[in-house]
Amino acid sequence: MSGCGRIIRGVIFDLDGVLVSTDEMHFQAWKELADREGIPFNRHDNERLKGVSRARSLDIILEKAARRYSEDQKSAMASAKNDRYRELLAVLAPRDALVGAGEMLTGLRAMGVKLAVGSSSRNAREILRRVDLLRLLDSVVDGTDVSRSKPDPEAFLLAAARLGLRPAECLVVEDAAAGIEAGIRGGFSVLGIGDPKLLTGAGRWLSGLSKSGAAELIAGW
Ligand code: BG6
Ligand code: MG
């Protein structure tokens, strides 16, 4: 939503694909698993995995599987994917924060804007520590804090509550269709990072955080 004359006092960032390019590592780890199982999986399919939980991601991949998997097999596959993903995360360093992310958080903080991350990932805190962005945030809501992942608004609503703000006072920044939907359902203003054709419903879009100044990001909602 935009153009309603809202004053933005808090910004809630998605993590993977907005602050850090870990969306590529998720893709690589799932792709290796899908290839091992002989399941077709490409970047187009991967768009549907963005923002949703690990278990839901696996269910989406298995829609194209030629055979059925038991719950035990699925849980083993989800763990194997996470083990591989965590191997890939081991090399993450501050240089892996996406261009403009640190500057945006620093700029907003200097303006007194409250900052949170609202992520479906159970690895979010470790990632934020590795890229050295954790210290710039007032609160982190991750996949261990919520029972319903995006497109449910639970993560964003909890993040707003922890910031002491109402949804109408917060801007959600998201790169996933599921996250855009979660923001809208929660009553937030929503900024899409990426292709407007894939991120319908957002009030505005940017190709990346480096494309805006901090004051510009929160003005005019
Ligand atoms: C989201 C990603 O941030 O986290 C999803 O966009 C991912 O693709 C989800 O499935 C869960 O991540 P994790 O680290 O708990 O497997
Ligand atoms: Mg994301």
Side-chain angles (χ1 to χ4, degrees):
M1 192 182 294
S2 71
C4 298
R6 291 178 166 188
I7 306 291
I8 301 298
R9 302 183 199 283
V11 181
I12 305 171
F13 292 89
D14 172 52
L15 175 66
D16 296 317
V18 170
L19 297 178
V20 196
S21 61
T22 35
D23 49 330
E24 271 303 309
M25 296 174 175
H26 276 296
F27 175 70
Q28 187 181 332
W30 282 126
K31 178 70 181 148
E32 288 174 13
L33 181 134
D35 287 352
R36 269 199 313 276
E37 296 293 322
I39 303 168
F41 177 60
N42 59 28
R43 284 187 180 275
H44 177 73
D45 303 320
N46 187 56
E47 282 304 312
R48 287 179 61 209
L49 272 47
K50 291 185 177 174
V52 307
S53 69
R54 197 180 306 160
R56 176 74 191 122
S57 296
L58 179 60
D59 282 338
I60 293 170
I61 291 173
L62 295 184
E63 285 172 8
K64 290 193 174 170
R67 50 164 289 207
R68 291 202 166 270
Y69 293 85
S70 69
E71 286 309 314
D72 282 353
Q73 287 169 325
K74 283 178 19 179
S75 138
M77 287 161 88
S79 302
K81 182 270 175 178
N82 193 51
D83 290 347
R84 176 62 180 133
Y85 178 57
R86 290 179 61 83
E87 267 174 34
L88 297 171
L89 290 182
V91 300
L92 266 195
R95 63 171 180 274
D96 297 306
L98 279 167
V99 186
E103 293 81 349
M104 180 58 76
L105 294 179
T106 307
L108 290 168
R109 269 189 90 78
M111 294 170 64
V113 177
K114 295 274 177 215
L115 301 177
V117 153
S119 170
S120 300
S121 173
R122 302 175 79 89
N123 295 296
R125 277 193 181 75
E126 181 181 339
I127 292 167
L128 285 164
R129 234 187 323 269
R130 283 188 176 279
V131 296
D132 197 28
L133 295 179
L134 192 59
R135 65 192 168 80
L136 297 172
L137 297 161
D138 298 294
S139 182
V140 176
V141 172
D142 69 14
T144 65
D145 295 312
V146 294
S147 53
R148 297 179 303 276
S149 103
K150 301 167 191 175
D152 190 284
E154 186 181 1
F156 294 144
L157 292 172
L158 182 58
R162 287 190 183 166
L163 295 180
L165 297 172
R166 290 176 292 111
E169 297 175 302
C170 297
L171 174 66
V172 158
V173 183
E174 257 294 348
D175 72 319
I180 303 279
E181 183 183 335
I184 294 169
R185 279 167 58 181
F188 296 87
S189 297
V190 182
L191 174 79
I193 299 288
D195 184 350
K197 288 196 285 299
L198 300 176
L199 303 177
T200 49
R204 280 189 223 162
W205 299 267
L206 287 173
S207 57
L209 288 175
S210 64
K211 304 293 178 197
S212 171
E216 202 188 327
L217 191 88
I218 59 165
W221 289 94

